[in-house]
Amino acid sequence: MNVHASATNYVFSPLPIPTLPIVGTSDLFPVHRIYCVGRNFAEHAIEMGHDPDREPPFFFQKNPDTLVLSGEEFPYPAQSSDVHHEIELVVALSKGGIDIAVKDALDHVYGYAVGLDMTRRDLQGVAKKLGRPWETGKAFEASAPCSAIVPVSKIGHPSAGALWVKVNGEIRQTGDLNQMIWKVAEMISYLSGLFTLQPGDLIYAGTPAGVGAVVRGDLINGEIEGVGEISTLVV
Ligand code: MN
């Protein structure tokens, strides 16, 4: 008996595991964990008041059940008056491991998606100031909108391509995947030294400059060239 043993005598029915659709098939991608990397674009690090030098990457997690699909509504969260959009490349793993070498890392990727790392910036700011964890700022309900996954077999491994966010048709964030400080293979390798990566893990790969607040009624649209699009209405 261990914590992963399958059981039929649960004391209540467990919630279904979160899944993402896959472009071009009716098969589903079962999600295990969501890792998010901080400050992976120099101009965003600067706008957040940090030195963009290449310090080691750092990570936080969102819970898998905070995912919402592109096209679904984003319910404005409680306890915040400064909720920001952060568009990010999402890396979806189909193989796990520990201490994965950079040269082997991309073999672990199933595909890519477009995500929004929605952030209660005011609560994150308080946490930063007090040296507390970021969960209240980052891991709230519906904080991880995500598009369908497009498999590597269709698009390869995008290392360049424009990404942008519009709010109500007005451009807010712009950047290019080639500006990422830590590349996808490096992030997988680094993370696998800290955690046991598993099939189903997602990595939100960091956001370019131009993050900003949304309010109820705003329509958020984003795109990563060659990967896909995302949209959500703030309600
Ligand atoms: Mn982010």
Side-chain angles (χ1 to χ4, degrees), residues 88-134:
E88 313 208 353
L89 178 71
V90 178
V91 184
L93 303 187
S94 55
K95 287 200 293 183
I98 57 171
D99 295 330
I100 298 165
V102 171
K103 69 175 175 47
D104 301 327
L106 293 182
D107 297 340
H108 296 69
V109 179
Y110 175 80
Y112 296 89
V114 184
L116 291 169
D117 166 16
M118 298 303 292
T119 302
R120 288 193 280 215
R121 192 72 73 202
D122 39 6
L123 299 192
Q124 185 199 24
V126 169
K128 281 182 182 174
K129 194 150 68 173
L130 298 176
R132 288 180 180 164
W134 284 10

Side-chain angles (χ1 to χ4, degrees), residues 36-39 44 60 86 88 117 119 138 204 206-207:
C36 305
V37 62
R39 288 174 217 144
H44 174 61
F60 57 91
E86 299 188 357
E88 313 208 353
D117 166 16
T119 302
K138 287 292 195 179
Y204 276 58
T207 200

Side-chain angles (χ1 to χ4, degrees), residues 26-231:
S26 57
D27 293 342
L28 295 173
F29 183 93
V31 177
H32 178 246
R33 289 183 186 162
I34 304 176
Y35 298 97
C36 305
V37 62
R39 288 174 217 144
N40 203 23
F41 285 76
E43 284 181 28
H44 174 61
I46 292 168
E47 77 177 346
M48 297 304 289
H50 297 277
D51 187 329
D53 280 352
R54 204 168 190 265
E55 38 186 59
F58 70 93
F59 298 90
F60 57 91
Q61 290 187 40
K62 294 190 189 233
N63 303 301
D65 66 353
T66 61
L67 284 166
V68 290
L69 293 180
S70 176
E72 290 189 297
E73 293 177 339
F74 170 76
Y76 197 92
Q79 304 286 333
S80 179
S81 55
D82 194 25
V83 175
H84 283 205
H85 51 76
E86 299 188 357
I87 188 169
E88 313 208 353
L89 178 71
V90 178
V91 184
L93 303 187
S94 55
K95 287 200 293 183
I98 57 171
D99 295 330
I100 298 165
V102 171
K103 69 175 175 47
D104 301 327
L106 293 182
D107 297 340
H108 296 69
V109 179
Y110 175 80
Y112 296 89
V114 184
L116 291 169
D117 166 16
M118 298 303 292
T119 302
R120 288 193 280 215
R121 192 72 73 202
D122 39 6
L123 299 192
Q124 185 199 24
V126 169
K128 281 182 182 174
K129 194 150 68 173
L130 298 176
R132 288 180 180 164
W134 284 10
E135 272 82 356
T136 57
K138 287 292 195 179
F140 54 91
E141 275 22 271
S143 60
C146 196
S147 74
I149 294 171
V150 56
V152 167
S153 58
K154 290 229 167 64
I155 59 164
H157 298 280
S159 57
L163 68 169
W164 50 260
V165 160
K166 289 179 183 172
V167 176
N168 303 326
E170 185 182 309
I171 197 84
R172 290 276 191 93
Q173 288 191 265
T174 55
D176 194 291
L177 294 180
N178 65 15
Q179 298 164 338
M180 284 167 51
I181 297 169
W182 293 92
K183 307 305 178 194
V184 170
E186 294 172 321
M187 279 188 280
I188 292 169
S189 176
Y190 191 89
L191 257 182
S192 72
L194 291 164
F195 301 97
T196 301
L197 297 181
Q198 298 285 5
D201 285 344
L202 301 179
I203 304 169
Y204 276 58
T207 200
V211 299
V214 292
V215 296
R216 288 185 181 85
D218 280 349
L219 179 64
I220 307 172
N221 280 101
E223 181 172 350
I224 302 179
E225 197 177 52
V227 177
E229 298 178 10
I230 191 167
S231 71

